[in-house]
Amino acid sequence: MSTVAPTKTVEFEYSGGERLTMNMGPQHPSAHGVFRAILTLEGEDVVGVDAVIGYLHRCHEKLSETLTYAQYPSIASKTDYVAAMTSEFAYVLAAEKIAKIEVPKRAQYLRVICAELQRVASHLLWLGTWCLDMGGALGGGATIFLYCIRERELVLDLFESLVGARLLYGFYQVGGTRYDIPPGWAETCRETVDLIDRRIDEYERMLEENPFFLARAKGVGLISRELAEDVGISGPLLRGSGVACDLRRAEPYSSYEDFDFRVPVETAGDCFARYRVRMVEFRESLKIVRQALDRLPEGPISSRPGLKSVAQVRVPKGEYYARVEGARGEVGCYLIADGSAKPYRMKWRGASFSNLAVLPHIIPGHKVADVVAIMGSVDPVFGEVDR
Amino acid sequence: MTRDQAATLIGERFGIAQVEGDSATIVVTVPVEQWTPFALFAKDTLGCRFFNFSTAVDWKEQGLEVVVRVDNVDARFGLLMKTRLGPGVSACPSLVPVYRGANWMERECYDMFGIRFEGHPDLRRILLGDDWEGHPLLKSYAVDTPHPPYR
Amino acid sequence: MPAAFADMPAWLVAAIASFILLNGIALGVAYVTLLERKFAARMQSRIGPYRVGPHGLLQPIADAIKLMMKEDVVPTAADKPVYNLAPIVFLIPCMLIFATIPFAPGLGVADLNIGILFFLAVSSMEIVGLFMAGWGSNNKYALLSAMRAVNQIISYDLPFVFASLVPVLLAGSLRLGEIAAAQAGLWFIAYPVIGQLGFIFFILSTVAAENRAPFDILEAESELVAGFRVEYSGMKFALIQLGEYAHVVASSFLGALLFLGAWSGPGPEWLGAIWFLIKAMLVFLLVTWVRWSFVRIRVDQILALSWKALMPATLVLLLLTAVVVVWTGNGR
């Protein structure tokens, strides 16, 4: 037996007020990763929130200063581990721009295919976990979650047969891509894309004809256009708040101008608007994959084939801010090269970091239950927030 | 407002002739005294309401440089604004009164570079623990700096 | 009561009957969880428990043994008497409500003349155990959950009572045996309009009063981790689970009795109990189906649904039933 007398009021800190401080996280069933929200509650209403991040911080920016341009892309995928293709993409784009390295057309198309498949995989995980947040692991949310994971597996299978890895790929490299598609891959990919397309219709029906889902998603977590721009949120959140900004359209990179796709914009700015944007993006991504597979040109997959040493890629002095439209928004890489084999300075602009920064502005005034719905609709990946 | 009009306007108002960048980006270096007025000008006059990111670069003996990127999402151009703090200086006006998004970004800069943003409402460390010593992204901070009790 | 028991003293009969029933419930509930897991698994295109025994049939036994062997953790700061007592206080009403249910004509522990009233009154007593658990744990999640529980159960017991009274009016008796017997010709669910509406309201308020998803805001593991039982482990947790499922099963029996004609069905009379069981399980699966298809709704929405929609609706339905009963001269 311990000799320490148990205290009755360890956590309540009852000061006579009606306020309760509640920790949501860092270990909490609905924290996507390790995120701690310190909520101040008045009954069920949230009156204040302080976000604590950094639990997954690895200082990628310092790390990249010690790794060469050939080494870092496969580390870059560890920032946003749910959509690992995206961050590799941003890094190699920045290096290529500074070094003025041409990328063969085939490589550009392969990059687009992977980026779009990755967006689908990431959105599938988002849809599943968001519903899981709202519906609970022991309720209707788990049903959607399991359905979504089933489809995400198919996409990961495609990546596995292409790269050999299922989560962190290292597919992009400066000058092109590391691998070409194996025989038969295009057919499997087409089948998967068609299947997912059909299944998404199913989920859409299941959710949008469900009054409880609508009650939870509509009118919750409003982000005005002004706030959205001021905080710098991007991706589906920004488009859900009425800003038609998609980098694939605004600043086409990697031959995105060749493809025909639609940029969905919703003006409501609530959780449901963000949901709608992502549901349309699913379809558009699948459409882009189909087009890219149809028109995939022959040719080399890299302008710098046969990597022989880690210091092979030399980038002259210069700086560039390269950005790609990731699943969660603008993933940017601000690279400063000093002419050596390693960058002088590299800054990650993680989409989740900026998106998460909007939470303290929108959560107060909502109920506790809405906090998880809003957090899920923001779709943060903490590897990218904390980098 | 197009990118070129914006570049001309910057030249007229602030007398900054050195406008670089490509077709979609303007890169300007602003003196630190004009940092906040320039940001206000960028937001109100140039329409760059989208706060993209804020960071810093350690140029060793030449001192720190703060870099902010803001975008005009309607006209589709970006503005990369920089300011040199000078050797040994680590104070910079905060942009939080202008852009709310600068809050977390500047906290990260403070965390990583030790730049004190004057006028920031809540300047705490954000990614590292409160008890962390040093600012890791400074060039003087070695990668293998020991940090007990972790390593 | 079967003739074989006629010679025994009444207290002995009652004791034997409750002994059989309690054990039956414990075993039945264990297998109901398996049924639910299998059903949910099918909905989610999974297989469900499969490893323990053929087709996972021994899974509930394994679960029970596991829970019994788990360490029983009591938080240092908990209010110990309240904390320890809560699962039992919670379990007793959940078990007690089985007493009045006649599983076949004359086969029940006590066919009270106020049977349904007893059922409704005792089933709302579980809130005491819930609140004790939430308060005694000295945990913020548990406290919030206990507050929600009180809110929710108070709001939903009234529609639950009103919906249950519709068959009472139709049958003209509070005795559950007589309500069941009154449906020999026409099940109350087949009663035009009133029956169907009553059944829907009954299911809706049952789901809510039992705190099942999508109304499980007091468990709400994505917000409150596990709500009032967040600090419970081992056997105490098992007792809470048992109580919860026993309540669900009892309500399913009540639903089958009130609306689906209880033991009436084709075949010889001794099949009646089987029919009753099947009907009750159908009601249970209906509740489960709802559970695995909806997302959880918010606390204010739940309360609004009850006070603004369900309450007036059930009240109007009850008045309507009364008018119909008087009009057609059905009342006895």
Side-chain angles (χ1 to χ4, degrees), chain B residues 32 62-66 83-93 115-116:
Chain B
V32 71
Q62 295 169 42
L64 292 161
E65 182 183 51
V66 178
T83 185
R84 289 283 179 130
L85 298 185
V89 182
S90 66
C92 175
I115 300 171
R116 282 176 290 103

Side-chain angles (χ1 to χ4, degrees), chain A residues 6-8 10-12 20-24 28-30 41 43-44 133-143 146-147 150 206 210 212-213 215-216 220 367-370 372, chain C residues 42-46 76-81 138-141 143-144 148 204 213-216 219 221-225 229 290-301 305:
Chain A
T7 41
K8 283 278 178 212
V10 199
E11 272 233 288
F12 281 102
L20 183 72
T21 305
M22 192 168 91
N23 272 307
M24 213 173 240
H28 189 277
S30 70
L41 306 178
E44 286 275 340
D133 282 350
M134 289 199 298
L138 303 172
T143 310
L146 286 164
Y147 290 163
R150 181 180 59 181
M206 177 168 174
N210 184 331
F212 287 179
F213 171 79
R216 282 301 299 279
V220 171
K367 306 268 180 222
V368 183
D370 288 331
V372 288
Chain C
R42 283 292 157 202
M43 283 187 67
Q44 300 173 339
S45 60
R46 296 184 286 125
T76 322
D79 190 341
K80 292 210 178 51
N138 197 2
N139 178 304
K140 288 171 186 174
Y141 297 128
L143 182 70
L144 265 183
R148 286 178 172 191
L204 205 58
F215 298 94
D216 61 339
E219 190 185 331
E221 74 294 314
S222 57
E223 304 143 33
L224 302 180
V225 190
R229 55 184 156 192
V290 171
R291 172 180 182 173
W292 294 101
S293 349
F294 286 93
V295 296
R296 181 184 305 118
I297 67 174
R298 219 165 53 205
V299 58
D300 55 323
Q301 292 166 342
L305 179 67

Side-chain angles (χ1 to χ4, degrees), chain A residues 89 91-112 171-178 253-255 257-258 297-305:
Chain A
F89 202 170
Y91 183 84
V92 296
L93 266 186
E96 283 159 5
K97 280 282 181 184
I98 300 173
K100 301 195 171 55
I101 296 172
E102 284 296 316
V103 180
K105 203 76 173 165
R106 185 178 177 84
Q108 293 190 7
Y109 273 53
L110 287 177
R111 285 177 175 190
V112 166
F171 177 69
Y172 296 75
Q173 62 176 193
V174 178
T177 63
R178 194 168 298 240
Y253 51 91
S254 193
S255 301
E257 65 275 6
D258 295 0
E298 293 298 321
I301 54 159
S302 176
S303 57
R304 312 172 69 83

Side-chain angles (χ1 to χ4, degrees), chain C residues 89-101 115-130 149 153-154 156-158 160-161 164 202 205-206 208-211 243-244 246-252 254:
Chain C
V89 174
F90 178 73
L91 184 64
I92 287 172
C94 297
M95 291 293 194
L96 213 53
I97 47 181
F98 277 94
T100 55
I101 295 175
I116 185 148
L117 214 56
F118 179 84
F119 188 104
L120 298 173
V122 173
S123 85
S124 5
M125 287 296 290
E126 63 160 5
I127 182 63
V128 178
L130 281 187
I153 289 180
I154 288 176
Y156 275 91
D157 263 345
L158 289 170
F160 183 49
V161 170
S164 312
F202 178 84
S205 44
T206 314
E210 286 160 359
N211 321 314
E244 211 160 78
H247 192 190
V248 176
V249 172
S251 302
S252 307
L254 187 70

